[in-house]
Amino acid sequence: MGEIGQDAYKIRLARSADLDFLAEIEIDAFATLGQALGREDDGRTVPRDKLEHSLDAKLLFVASDHLDHPFAFAAGAELDGAVYVLEIDVMQCWQRKGVGRRLMQAVIETARQRGASGVTLTTDRYVPFNAPFYASLGLRVLDEREMPAGLFEILKFEIDHGADPERRVAMAVWF
């Protein structure tokens, strides 16, 4: 599809009122990932307290439409001196239009401005809009020796709780 005009939506820091929309966005967005992974959505979303923590840390960004209604978000947290991306989701009707890229650019720019060591995340190695997408933004897959302790523990937890160790990877861009 390609990017749409940036005036069609805006990227901004989230506000408390936006929290009520984030689970809906996440569930809608999962349908695309679920298809790519051959799984059905089980309805799990990022716990509200984690989103509130991201909000308080000014690491929760939303993309909002011309009515200022959120349709995508990126939630981050400070981890190992870097900004760790907890979650990024774009509603299906807005996917493949550059929204996720702009959200990630906002996270990366904020991390730089704060003097963080970089941006980290865990993701699927093979789904095109996961690891290959993040690589296009400068992130790279880390091997075990390169991972800070907190990121290693998150990846281990995900694998211990059912993620395929062949597919699940940690990625980072360092500044």
Side-chain angles (χ1 to χ4, degrees):
M1 284 195 138
E3 289 200 25
I4 60 172
Q6 293 186 10
D7 57 343
Y9 66 95
K10 65 182 171 185
I11 305 295
R12 61 170 172 78
L13 282 171
R15 299 185 285 262
S16 294
D18 297 327
L19 292 173
D20 295 333
F21 301 104
L22 302 188
E24 174 187 342
I25 293 167
E26 191 172 356
I27 290 167
D28 182 82
F30 183 83
T32 303
L33 180 60
Q35 289 171 350
L37 296 174
R39 295 190 338 225
E40 288 191 31
D41 184 10
D42 58 10
R44 284 184 286 169
T45 59
V46 175
R48 187 171 176 110
D49 66 317
K50 287 191 176 197
L51 294 172
E52 289 170 346
H53 182 74
S54 289
L55 178 74
D56 293 343
K58 294 190 178 359
L59 290 172
L60 182 59
F61 301 88
V62 297
S64 61
D65 62 19
H66 67 285
L67 298 174
D68 204 30
H69 184 80
F71 61 84
F73 74 94
E78 294 175 3
L79 178 71
D80 300 318
V83 172
Y84 172 73
V85 178
L86 294 162
E87 188 71 29
I88 180 169
D89 289 299
V90 179
M91 293 186 84
Q92 292 178 75
C93 63
W94 283 90
Q95 291 174 2
R96 300 180 49 89
K97 297 179 180 175
V99 177
R101 180 168 300 279
R102 284 191 58 208
L103 282 167
M104 281 299 297
Q105 288 168 334
V107 171
I108 292 167
E109 181 57 30
T110 298
R112 272 195 176 102
Q113 289 173 356
R114 290 183 174 200
S117 60
V119 173
T120 62
L121 54 81
T122 58
T123 193
D124 185 89
R125 177 188 306 269
Y126 300 114
V127 174
F129 50 87
N130 280 193
F133 165 71
Y134 298 120
S136 76
L137 288 161
L139 284 83
R140 67 178 181 79
V141 174
L142 302 176
D143 67 36
E144 194 174 302
R145 297 179 316 269
E146 298 175 284
M147 279 183 239
L151 186 60
F152 178 82
E153 288 304 314
I154 289 171
L155 183 63
K156 182 180 180 320
F157 178 86
E158 291 173 349
I159 291 169
D160 289 349
H161 287 83
D164 181 345
E166 169 60 27
R167 297 185 69 101
R168 202 72 186 162
V169 294
M171 297 184 76
V173 60
W174 303 117
F175 308 138

